[in-house]
Structures are given as structure tokens and as C-alpha cells.
Amino acid sequence: MSSIVDTLYELKYNPFEYGAHLASFYTATGESENNLLLAPLVIPLCSHPVFGQKLFNSNKRSTIWSVFDDRTKLYDLQERIHGFQALTEQCIQYCLINDWLSVNEQNLSILTCDGSDSAFTYQKSAEKLGRLFRGHSVVEIYAFLGVKPR
């Protein structure tokens, strides 16, 4: 029997809510090799109390260096990546089922699908995170954030 805390956690963090975050992120990043490895960063950064708000308020001139300028606040990012790993996997499956995303297995990349029957609500912070990461390699992003991919 689960406790009320577990139930409330599952209500807040579920693939129906955060699947749109992943779809919005990959819409903004475009096609790049190995971008599947960026998926574990989306939910921990967009739901982060500090950086989620900074991403939401960022503009076209914002860069990865200006948004994540104080890296001391990223001290718990590795733990958050580990904690949201199962949710990230469920969200990817939810996006694949709804034809919002597709996987290119040869390049280890995720692509957006144009011909989906169901639409998702664009999540502004995830879309802006995708714009910030566009043009940077996966290695650069992980090295900058100081975390290791799983």
C-alpha cells in the first residue's frame, strides 16, 4: 500500500505531464547525433526550482552560459537525473506511442514527427532549453553542467 506522499508524487510527476516537455525540447533542438543522451537532462532542469524559472524567463539572447551562470546551484543535478530516470523513460515511451517523437537507432537520436494525430501543449521552458542546447555537442553540455550521462 502506498502512502499519500507517494500518491501525490505520482500525480505531480507523471508521463502525461512531462511527455510534452520532452516533445517540446526535441522540437527546438533539431536533429543532431546522439541527442537521445540529452533526454535525462530535460525533466530535472525544467522542474528545478531555480533553473526552471530562469529557463522560462530566458530570451533569444540567452546562452547556456548566462542561464546556468551559477553552477553551484547545480549541485544536486546528478541526483535529480538519477531520480527522474524512470520518469524520463516513461515519457519517451509516451511520446513514441503518440507519434510525437521517433527514434533513429543508427544515430542514437530522437526526431520529431510531423504527422501526429494528437497534439501536445508546448512547454515553454523545455523549448527554451532545447534552443540553448542547439549547436552544442552532447559532450560539451554534460561537461558544462558537470554531470555524467547514465
Side-chain angles (χ1 to χ4, degrees):
M1 180 177 213
S2 65
S3 70
I4 186 79
V5 175
D6 293 338
T7 305
L8 290 173
Y9 181 85
E10 288 179 13
L11 279 175
K12 182 173 180 176
Y13 297 105
N14 63 66
F16 307 108
E17 173 72 23
Y18 283 95
H21 281 77
L22 282 179
S24 298
F25 174 78
Y26 282 107
T27 300
T29 56
E31 185 177 347
S32 65
E33 192 171 322
N34 297 330
N35 70 359
L36 175 65
L37 298 173
L38 297 176
L41 296 174
V42 176
I43 297 172
L45 288 174
C46 290
S47 65
H48 194 277
V50 174
F51 293 109
Q53 193 63 37
K54 286 183 89 171
L55 286 169
F56 188 81
N57 293 330
S58 65
N59 56 34
K60 290 183 178 181
R61 294 176 296 173
S62 298
T63 64
I64 191 172
W65 292 276
S66 63
V67 172
F68 301 108
D69 57 347
D70 188 5
R71 287 189 239 169
T72 59
K73 294 180 180 172
L74 290 170
Y75 68 92
D76 62 342
L77 184 58
Q78 189 72 53
E79 295 171 13
R80 292 175 63 84
I81 289 171
H82 177 70
F84 287 117
Q85 186 68 36
L87 178 62
T88 300
E89 292 168 3
Q90 291 172 349
C91 289
I92 290 173
Q93 289 175 349
Y94 182 68
C95 290
L96 293 174
I97 289 171
N98 284 318
D99 291 331
W100 295 340
L101 300 174
S102 65
V103 176
N104 183 343
E105 296 165 352
Q106 294 178 345
N107 290 344
L108 286 179
S109 62
I110 295 182
L111 312 167
T112 56
C113 295
D114 295 331
S116 174
D117 291 337
S118 61
F120 59 90
T121 305
Y122 279 91
Q123 300 297 319
K124 197 172 182 181
S125 60
E127 188 177 3
K128 288 182 174 183
L129 180 65
R131 276 194 230 143
L132 288 177
F133 285 174
R134 182 187 297 171
H136 298 283
S137 71
V138 174
V139 175
E140 285 176 329
I141 293 167
Y142 273 95
F144 178 79
L145 296 175
V147 292
K148 297 176 182 174
R150 296 196 152 236

